Structures are given as C-alpha cells and as structure tokens.
Amino acid sequence: MKRPTVHVIGAGLSGLSVAAHLATHARFEIVVHERGREAGGRRRAFFDETDGTYVDSVNAVAWPHWRATRALIAAIGAEPEWREGSREIAFVDMRTAERWTLRPGSGRRPWWALLAKRRAPGLAARDYFDLARLGRGAVVPAGGRAAERLWRPLSFAALNLAPENAALELLAGELEEALAAPKLTLLHPRRDLGHALLLPLTQHLERHGVAIRYERALQALRFDRDRVAGMEFAHDRVELGPRDAVLLAVPPWVAAPLTPGLLAPDAFTAAITAHYSDLPPLEAPDLTCVINGPVHGVFKRAGGVSVTVRDADADLETPKEALAAKYWSAVAAVTGLSDVLPAWRLIKQKRAAFAATPAQNALRPEPMTAWRNLALAGAYVRDGLPESMETAVRSGERAAQCLAEAL
C-alpha cells in the first residue's frame, strides 16, 4: 500500500522541523514546498557578494533551556558547527556607563542573586526572586531600577516588546523554563546560522528521503467536507489522496487567507539586525545587553560584530545608512572600537514576531485545524511561550506528533 504523503508548505525553521520529526516515521512520504529559492524563511542567511560571506538575517543564540533546538542540532549532527560561549551575560548602561555581568545559576529559585556581585548595581535579591514569582502574582514594576535593568531587558529579549504592553504570562513561561534549565552554556554559530543549522538540516532531510521543492508558491487549498482535497500552486495543482495531509508552516499572514475561518495574530513588531566587519577585542563578551542605548544587544561573531534592535518599528522608515551610523556609535562605545564606520549590512524585518500583547496572544491557534488532514506549524501557534527560534522548532515537533496520530 502506498504510504500517505505529508505536504509541508514552507521551508522555514518550523517546516523543516516538521519534516525532520516526520522523517523518523517510515510510514510517510514527505514533500516540502517552498515559495523561495532557499530554505530558512525569516531566519535565512544572505550571501554577501562584496566579501563572499553569508550574513544572517537574525543574531542566533541557542539558550540553555532551548531543549528542542539543542536536540535538533544533535539529531542532525550539526554540533561541530556550534561553539560554547559563556553562560554569563554582560550588561552596560549607556546613560551611566556602568557595567556588570549576570551569572545565573540553575534551579527554580535564583539563590545566586543573594550574592551582590552577581546582581545589577542598585538591585536587591528580592528583585530577582520576583522572576520566579511572575506567574504567581508578582507585579512587574512600572519604573525604577528594577524595571530599567531587569524587566525591560528581559521583556525586549523574550517578547520583542516593552513589558507594559506585553502578555506577561508568556514571559512567565519563558522564565520558568530558563530558571529550571541545567547549568549549560550558550551556543553560538561558529560561522552563521545557515551553516550551523539550515544547511545541515536540509542535508539531513534529503538523506532521509524528504523532497524539498523550491519556487513552489501555494495559491489556494481546495476543501471537501472535513478534509483538504487538493492544492493549487502557481503552475500546477496537486490532488490529495484519502490518507494524505497538508502542514502549513508559513507565517500567519500567509496561513490565514489559505484557511477559512482561521484566527491568528494579525499585529506584529519589527526587529533590525546590523552586521559590521570590524573585529571586536578578543576579551569582548559573546553577548552584551545594552540599556538606555539605540540597540538592545551586541554580539561577537565570526568576522565582526553585530547588533539587534528589538521592537524597532520607530526605526523602520529611517534610511539604512543613518541607522548603521547610529547603531555603530553604540557598538564603538560598548566595545572600545574606533568611531569610524566600517563596512556594514543591515536587515530590517517589519514582521519579525507577532505582537506579544494579551489580545494577540489570545489569537494564537492550535496546531490541528477544523480539517482532519490540515495542521499548522510556526512560532505563532499556541504553546504558552513567546515567538522564538525555539518555539518554531517546538511547533514543528508538536505538529508532526499531531499529524502522526491523525493519519
């Protein structure tokens, strides 16, 4: 008997994750359809012809509590493409010039915060213990040093949004997992995310018989009672057999028009990534969180230094040249590098993540739809955590499990 075919629409990280998990079941044929010419979606790497290197669209770090991402890296044999960094995170306040290092320990209660040298200047141990109580009634302060040096950086990093606008239950879920993580180090790509994850993942899928077809733009799904019966692409159509299925691993603004009645987030926040060619000092931290500056994070990377700007809607209309100069002024202040602007590459993402507000979080759908052979994957799908590389991978894992049980 012919095996059922699962058609995965989208070769972003969630779609590739679905395919990787379904490939462990010998009972499926798997075909990935990607509208572009390469895999990766919003996390793809761009080839820079000026210097012959790849440039990431995002600054990628695998955090200690990202169990699905780390498991996927190990499963596809990509661990040599990652390097261990420090679990310590450097901070700098550009308004006061103060610097400190956060050295969290493991365990659901931050006992390490009892040591003053492991806290931010001006914060008390109780400020950190409020992290563990966020899901049980702790109130996020609206002002003061705890808001400025603890809660705002955390909210921007996890939710791409200021805490006063955010669905704090998402931050509580992220913190609960982070505080319970074993004492592992951060993982950084040795080169770029393409070589560290996307390329070995696509090669792994091809070795396991998964077909990846590029320049395949899905235009419509055809429904018959309680199932998807066919797919309309730009240049052809595919009829689905009675045991075949479709997995939409596309952003919500693509999934909603294809799926009648689908409720999904429809408001988004922007992020900007800038890469510079100057090498940071050898002693520079892998990651520096910036407070009261024009950027939120400074990353040491292979071949240079990069920055991330969260909730960046206000900068979207500013010319890239002006932004590159503004952001570099912060990099120079943080790292001690020259004020002279080096070669740079800047990527704006208008819809980097769904707006993690209470209203938008309530619109997140479940992975299975009203049609028995149609499922969803993506970091916007409901799972109690904010949008991230980790939730994209987990959504693929969960959707694959749902489809395996349904077919």
Side-chain angles (χ1 to χ4, degrees):
M1 180 182 294
K2 182 181 180 297
R3 293 185 298 173
T5 299
V6 177
H7 296 273
V8 179
I9 310 300
L13 193 51
S14 59
L16 297 177
S17 173
V18 169
H21 285 95
L22 284 176
T24 63
H25 299 271
R27 42 187 280 242
F28 300 117
E29 295 282 351
I30 306 163
V31 181
V32 179
H33 306 266
E34 167 56 42
R35 68 181 304 162
R37 297 181 178 180
E38 56 189 346
R42 287 175 286 164
R43 295 175 177 83
R44 67 188 181 278
F46 299 92
F47 183 72
D48 191 337
E49 295 181 353
T50 59
D51 58 7
T53 61
Y54 283 89
V55 177
D56 285 331
S57 58
V58 297
N59 286 310
V61 174
W63 293 89
H65 62 289
W66 282 9
R67 57 93 182 155
T69 301
R70 287 171 174 254
L72 183 62
I73 290 169
I76 63 176
E79 289 172 309
E81 287 292 337
W82 295 78
R83 64 175 178 85
E84 288 191 353
S86 171
R87 199 181 182 191
E88 298 178 352
I89 303 173
F91 285 78
V92 59
D93 187 331
M94 293 193 68
R95 187 173 61 199
T96 66
E98 291 176 283
R99 293 175 182 263
W100 64 95
T101 301
L102 189 65
R103 302 180 180 89
S106 58
R108 294 186 181 276
R109 291 187 177 275
W111 298 111
W112 48 268
L114 296 173
L115 301 175
K117 65 181 180 179
R118 299 177 69 174
R119 305 193 300 263
L123 297 192
R126 64 177 177 273
D127 296 319
Y128 290 87
F129 275 82
D130 283 342
L131 297 177
R133 298 194 304 110
L134 179 58
R136 300 188 296 276
V139 177
V140 176
R145 287 210 166 182
E148 180 180 67
R149 296 189 167 186
L150 183 59
W151 290 105
R152 290 185 69 79
L154 279 172
S155 187
F156 278 123
L159 307 180
N160 202 38
L161 202 64
E164 58 267 24
N165 301 319
L168 293 178
E169 63 267 29
L170 296 178
L171 184 57
E174 190 78 13
L175 286 171
E176 182 178 3
E177 292 201 5
L179 290 171
K183 202 169 186 179
L184 301 175
T185 57
L186 298 175
L187 294 180
H188 301 261
R190 292 190 181 276
R191 290 181 284 178
D192 54 73
L193 188 60
H195 287 90
L197 184 55
L198 299 175
L199 181 59
L201 182 49
T202 55
Q203 291 173 338
H204 172 85
L205 293 176
E206 290 166 354
R207 288 194 301 270
H208 285 76
V210 176
I212 305 178
R213 300 175 181 173
Y214 297 101
E215 298 186 86
R216 299 273 294 164
L218 179 65
Q219 296 184 329
L221 296 173
R222 183 165 52 82
F223 298 92
D224 182 16
R225 293 190 287 271
D226 65 342
R227 62 184 294 273
V228 178
M231 302 182 294
E232 305 285 340
F233 291 92
H235 302 294
D236 69 325
R237 64 175 55 181
V238 175
E239 299 296 327
L240 270 64
R243 299 166 62 231
D244 296 342
V246 177
L247 192 292
L248 287 181
V250 293
W253 59 87
V254 177
L258 292 168
T259 313
L262 177 65
L263 289 179
D266 55 10
F268 306 91
T269 53
I272 298 176
T273 301
H275 302 286
Y276 299 94
S277 61
D278 274 13
L279 292 172
L282 289 175
E283 67 275 11
D286 289 321
L287 168 60
T288 302
C289 293
V290 180
I291 295 171
N292 295 319
V295 305
H296 292 104
V298 176
F299 295 77
K300 182 168 66 174
R301 64 176 179 83
V305 62
S306 302
V307 303
T308 294
V309 183
R310 303 285 189 180
D311 196 15
D313 298 72
D315 282 353
L316 286 179
E317 301 305 318
T318 304
K320 288 185 176 182
E321 293 77 8
L323 291 178
K326 180 174 77 168
Y327 299 159
W328 180 252
S329 67
V331 174
V334 169
T335 63
L337 291 169
S338 168
D339 290 332
V340 178
L341 181 64
W344 55 272
R345 179 74 178 265
L346 189 143
I347 301 103
K348 296 180 180 181
Q349 289 195 341
K350 184 177 181 180
R351 294 183 286 197
F354 76 88
T357 63
Q360 289 296 307
N361 187 45
L363 294 176
R364 298 173 77 178
E366 298 293 337
M368 289 304 297
T369 69
W371 293 271
R372 60 183 172 83
N373 65 338
L374 177 63
L376 306 171
Y380 73 95
V381 174
R382 185 181 304 277
D383 76 347
L385 295 173
E387 183 162 344
S388 68
M389 188 165 75
E390 170 71 2
T391 49
V393 174
R394 287 193 193 187
S395 76
E397 180 181 34
R398 187 179 175 200
Q401 180 180 358
C402 289
L403 276 181
E405 293 172 354
L407 296 180

